[in-house]
Amino acid sequence: MSRTKQLRQELPNPDPEDSSEELTAMVCLESDLQDGQMMEVEVGHHSVLLTRSEGRYSAIGNQCTHYGAPLSKGCIVGHTVRCPWHGACFNVHTGDLEEYPGMDCLPCHKVKIQNNKVYVSINKKTLGHEKRLKNMGGAMEGVTHTILLLGGGAASLICAEVLRQENFGGRIIVATRDELLPYDKTRLSKVMNVESDSILLRRMEFFHKYDIEVWLRKEALSVDTDKKTVTFQDGSVQSYDQLLISTGCRAKGLDLPGMKLGNVKMLETPEDARQIHAACLGCNVVLVGTSFVGMEIASYLIDKASSITVIGSSEMPYQNTLGREIGKVTMMMLSEKNVKFYMNDNVTDVRGAEGKVKEVVLKSGTVIPADVLIVGIGIKPNSEYLRGNKIQMDSKNFVIVDKYMRTNIPDVFCAGDLATFPLKMAKNRMVNIGHWQMAQAHGRIAALNMMAKQTELSSVPFYWTVLLGKTIRYAGYGEGYTEIVMKGKFEDRKFLALYIKDDEVVAAASLNYDPAVSAVAERLVAGKIITKKEAESDDLSWLQLS
């Protein structure tokens, strides 16, 4: 249970000229914190999370290292606190990161109990440092072992970092066809007029400091698993001792001649995002596809485009993932902002004039004027370069891995959107999940198993999408659900949807109902069943709502 009341600081703010190394505040508790309780306290105008877990008090930074959410509003289970916004987890005793999408650890502060009073001390050197990098090593002289990471996304970056955290002293190479260092791709559809530099996950100095080579504009052409080599498009060949395949997916286009017209756009890179932003200003925009990304683009363009028309092949947006009810709420929210929907329809023709798109023709016969056409109808795996070798792929050309992220070939691993993997919470069903947090988790598991530290993937998928400044959060794996138990009302824009399969909760989605989805994720990751009866109950104490 969390307690988030702001506590008063009994010591006056310190003299800035005070020469002591630490800033200490006595925290006045209304009553002793019990195990599994936490609260936000202030030490010299700095927000600190005070917790009691396993019989001891601890204090760590209160701001999640991902996007700065107050962890005191999240949920605590055992020695783990989970962020209420995007599900990142931290160890309350050490501040160490335990689950993504956060990448950095939290500062950890001293706690002393004296005369039934709690004293929290912050080292003045750490003031203003809300993030802490886990200790990392570098390359060691004489170690020739080479790990080659193909792809410059979240999975490769985390794999490289964890290898150095685990004291791997060999050569690490990240090879990507991208022109940029690894960046936060979740931002592209939410803040489209974004400067590339502002979304980099790590700077070049970081890679230099920890001896991680990054090869940009370096696309893999083929992999020879017998010779343990990768050939690149520029003709170069690199040998490896261990290989991570993490080249992800790309946007799928419409199979129509008009796709080659000007102002037909697909979103894959920051440059694409900026071009879409610029092309849509004051224009008639047609958006094909009702995925999460498509709906976020529509939301972003509302106050920028002259008109926005969305074409979807299903009855509701993301009907197969979040269900009809949440799809209906999404349509309602966007329709109120004059977004027009044509559902249960398809594009049959894209007409142009003078080399640019002018009209979109639907299967229903409707003709829609279009200055810009944005296509977001799904993804294709970037796995063509793997054809002809022995790496096992499924019928859709995704790479098959086990719970250790190993392919069928020794020393070859796969992670991220390209991987089909066994999901522990779904009874090890083989799935493909293109979530940012899951790709990061894959990278970590791959790194640990490359180091022969046998570790199974046990993460629960956690996803979020932003519409009109409101965030819908989702945790679990709801495919095949048979019914939804509702808390709150869709029409009130405040709800928690619990997805039921075989009389158990398999996923949850929420809007304005924090930290419910994080609480569900904690139960699922612990393997604790949430029964349909429990979901239907009016007693929501297990959700740890503050």
Side-chain angles (χ1 to χ4, degrees):
M1 177 81 89
S2 65
R3 298 170 62 196
T4 58
K5 180 180 176 182
Q6 183 72 39
L7 297 178
R8 62 190 174 91
Q9 179 182 311
E10 291 212 335
L11 294 183
N13 284 330
D15 183 338
E17 297 182 6
D18 182 1
S19 60
S20 62
E21 292 183 359
E22 291 184 341
L23 182 63
T24 301
M26 184 177 73
V27 177
C28 179
L29 301 180
E30 295 169 351
S31 61
D32 285 343
L33 281 181
Q34 302 301 308
D35 258 17
Q37 289 187 329
M38 60 182 175
M39 59 203 319
E40 179 184 3
V41 301
E42 244 188 44
V43 181
H45 302 303
H46 287 269
S47 177
V48 172
L49 184 70
L50 180 67
T51 68
R52 184 169 177 176
S53 168
E54 299 167 351
R56 68 188 255 212
Y57 285 96
S58 302
I60 58 175
N62 189 41
Q63 287 182 286
C64 178
T65 59
H66 183 227
Y67 286 164
L71 295 174
S72 56
K73 301 289 187 183
C75 58
I76 182 171
V77 176
H79 57 69
T80 299
V81 60
R82 185 180 282 265
C83 171
W85 289 0
H86 307 120
C89 294
F90 303 88
N91 185 302
V92 297
H93 297 320
T94 64
D96 285 352
L97 178 75
E98 293 187 341
E99 181 59 277
Y100 306 96
M103 289 177 55
D104 295 305
C105 302
L106 288 162
C108 190
H109 308 302
K110 288 183 184 177
V111 178
K112 183 170 71 173
I113 312 297
Q114 192 171 0
N115 300 325
N116 293 320
K117 292 175 182 175
V118 180
Y119 293 85
V120 178
S121 301
I122 297 180
N123 189 314
K124 287 182 179 178
K125 292 179 182 177
T126 68
L127 286 176
H129 298 285
E130 303 297 343
K131 299 179 180 182
R132 174 175 61 83
L133 192 64
K134 203 166 185 178
N135 289 337
M136 294 174 64
M140 298 177 190
E141 193 173 344
V143 181
T144 59
H145 191 101
T146 297
I147 296 181
L148 177 58
L149 314 177
L150 296 181
S156 287
L157 175 59
I158 296 300
C159 184
E161 291 196 15
V162 173
L163 286 170
R164 288 296 187 228
Q165 289 165 6
E166 296 294 327
N167 296 314
F168 171 69
R171 189 180 182 191
I172 301 175
I173 304 168
V174 178
T176 172
R177 69 177 185 180
D178 290 341
E179 296 184 0
L180 287 175
L181 293 172
Y183 59 89
D184 186 350
K185 292 187 179 180
T186 68
R187 303 281 290 164
L188 296 187
S189 54
K190 299 175 178 71
V191 189
M192 302 189 76
N193 192 27
V194 65
E195 289 301 322
S196 300
D197 195 56
S198 69
I199 57 172
L200 294 181
L201 295 168
R202 301 291 191 204
R203 305 278 165 186
M204 186 56 86
E205 303 84 63
F206 172 90
F207 297 104
H208 287 158
K209 182 175 182 180
Y210 298 108
D211 300 319
I212 299 168
E213 297 175 51
V214 183
W215 296 352
L216 301 177
R217 295 176 287 277
K218 193 89 167 175
E219 185 170 359
L221 194 63
S222 64
V223 176
D224 187 325
T225 56
D226 292 327
K227 294 181 180 177
K228 286 194 163 185
T229 59
V230 174
T231 301
F232 294 93
Q233 273 197 332
D234 61 6
S236 62
V237 179
Q238 175 62 48
S239 60
Y240 65 83
D241 294 290
Q242 290 171 300
L243 176 69
L244 179 73
I245 297 166
S246 182
T247 43
C249 300
R250 63 187 183 278
K252 185 163 59 175
L254 292 168
D255 189 17
L256 295 170
M259 281 296 290
K260 294 189 171 90
L261 289 167
N263 278 10
V264 176
K265 306 288 185 183
M266 294 193 293
L267 177 62
E268 292 185 308
T269 68
E271 180 59 29
D272 294 335
R274 290 190 291 271
Q275 286 185 12
I276 289 171
H277 169 92
C280 292
L281 296 175
C283 293
N284 296 313
V285 177
V286 175
L287 207 158
V288 185
T290 55
S291 65
F292 293 108
V293 169
M295 294 298 90
E296 287 183 351
I297 294 173
S299 173
Y300 173 82
L301 291 175
I302 277 171
D303 59 351
K304 300 169 183 69
S306 176
S307 70
I308 303 169
T309 304
V310 174
I311 300 156
S313 58
S314 58
E315 192 175 347
M316 299 288 172
Y318 26 75
Q319 186 169 312
N320 296 330
T321 48
L322 298 186
R324 290 174 46 83
E325 294 87 348
I326 295 180
K328 187 176 180 181
V329 171
T330 300
M331 279 184 68
M332 185 169 67
M333 290 170 67
L334 294 176
S335 295
E336 287 172 0
K337 299 293 184 179
N338 298 317
V339 175
K340 191 164 186 180
F341 286 85
Y342 289 89
M343 302 301 289
N344 286 325
D345 218 333
N346 293 289
V347 176
T348 56
D349 193 14
V350 178
R351 296 174 181 166
E354 299 176 357
K356 290 192 174 184
V357 63
K358 287 297 178 186
E359 292 178 336
V360 172
V361 183
L362 305 186
K363 186 178 180 181
S364 61
T366 306
V367 179
I368 304 167
D371 301 313
V372 183
L373 174 62
I374 304 170
V375 179
I377 57 171
I379 55 172
K380 293 169 70 172
N382 291 321
S383 58
E384 287 84 359
Y385 66 98
L386 299 175
R387 288 176 186 164
N389 66 33
K390 301 172 184 175
I391 297 170
Q392 188 179 359
M393 293 190 278
D394 65 15
S395 60
K396 296 181 179 178
N397 294 317
F398 291 90
V399 176
I400 298 170
V401 296
D402 63 11
K403 59 189 175 184
Y404 307 110
M405 309 314 297
R406 301 178 304 197
T407 69
N408 61 310
I409 304 296
D411 293 323
V412 178
F413 297 75
C414 182
D417 296 1
L418 190 56
T420 292
F421 63 96
L423 182 62
K424 185 176 180 180
M425 67 150 288
K427 300 179 174 63
N428 289 318
R429 176 178 174 179
M430 297 299 289
V431 300
N432 173 257
I433 296 175
H435 292 178
W436 185 252
Q437 160 261 359
M438 190 55 75
Q440 293 173 297
H442 285 182
R444 173 180 175 269
I445 297 300
L448 292 172
N449 288 296
M450 286 174 172
M451 297 284 291
K453 299 183 178 185
Q454 195 172 75
T455 310
E456 297 181 13
L457 179 71
S458 60
S459 294
V460 166
F462 202 108
Y463 185 86
W464 67 96
T465 185
V466 178
L467 292 170
L468 306 175
K470 303 289 185 183
T471 303
I472 296 175
R473 314 192 197 287
Y474 179 90
Y477 184 73
E479 188 167 313
Y481 75 90
T482 52
E483 59 183 305
I484 295 178
V485 172
M486 280 298 305
K487 305 294 180 186
K489 294 180 179 178
F490 288 115
E491 51 269 27
D492 292 342
R493 317 270 167 94
K494 181 177 181 178
F495 62 80
L496 169 66
L498 298 167
Y499 298 80
I500 310 294
K501 181 181 180 182
D502 299 329
D503 288 331
E504 295 177 14
V505 173
V506 292
S510 77
L511 178 64
N512 291 321
Y513 221 91
D514 295 338
V517 168
S518 286
V520 170
E522 275 303 302
R523 290 281 290 263
L524 294 174
V525 80
K528 294 179 180 177
I529 291 171
I530 306 169
T531 64
K532 178 183 175 182
K533 184 177 180 182
E534 192 175 8
E536 290 175 334
S537 168
D538 291 332
D539 179 11
L540 296 180
S541 58
W542 62 277
L543 288 174
Q544 301 189 342
L545 298 173
S546 56

